[in-house]
Amino acid sequence: MWKLCIIGYVAGKFPGYTTLNNLISSIWKCNAKLTMHDSGWLIYTFSSKNDKLVVLSGGLYLVFGRPMVLKSMPEYFDFAAIDMSRVPV
């Protein structure tokens, strides 16, 4: 199951569940489901490996002008919020 998942977060103020869920149909145009972890991490589960790879290779995504950081779900992941305090440049 985790092999078809991407985890991520949006830098800065949380834009809201509806906005993040709308990315799937409006920008990514694929079949995926958004789940939010209690720690604040976003978990996007895709129906196919191809959809996941297309989203990951799609470049930088901005939500209200703030970067959305995405990465493949590793086999073992600690959902500690400390990782959300850094944004790649």
Side-chain angles (χ1 to χ4, degrees):
M1 172 186 152
W2 295 118
K3 293 182 189 253
L4 293 177
C5 292
I6 291 176
I7 56 171
Y9 62 93
V10 177
K13 184 179 175 189
F14 182 70
Y17 180 85
T18 303
T19 299
L20 295 170
N21 197 43
N22 287 341
L23 279 174
I24 297 168
S25 59
S26 64
I27 306 286
W28 296 345
K29 298 180 182 8
C30 67
N31 189 12
K33 179 183 170 194
L34 170 62
T35 306
M36 293 178 51
H37 190 270
D38 291 340
S39 63
W41 283 96
L42 308 171
I43 305 168
Y44 286 98
T45 306
F46 293 84
S47 60
S48 75
K49 186 176 181 179
N50 186 53
D51 284 346
K52 174 187 166 183
L53 294 175
V54 167
V55 169
L56 281 175
S57 64
L60 177 64
Y61 298 103
L62 297 175
V63 179
F64 298 128
R66 294 186 305 273
M68 176 182 235
V69 178
L70 297 171
K71 65 180 180 178
S72 286
M73 171 70 94
E75 188 172 345
Y76 299 102
F77 183 71
D78 180 9
F79 283 96
I82 189 99
D83 289 337
M84 282 192 266
S85 63
R86 296 181 222 122
V87 177
V89 292

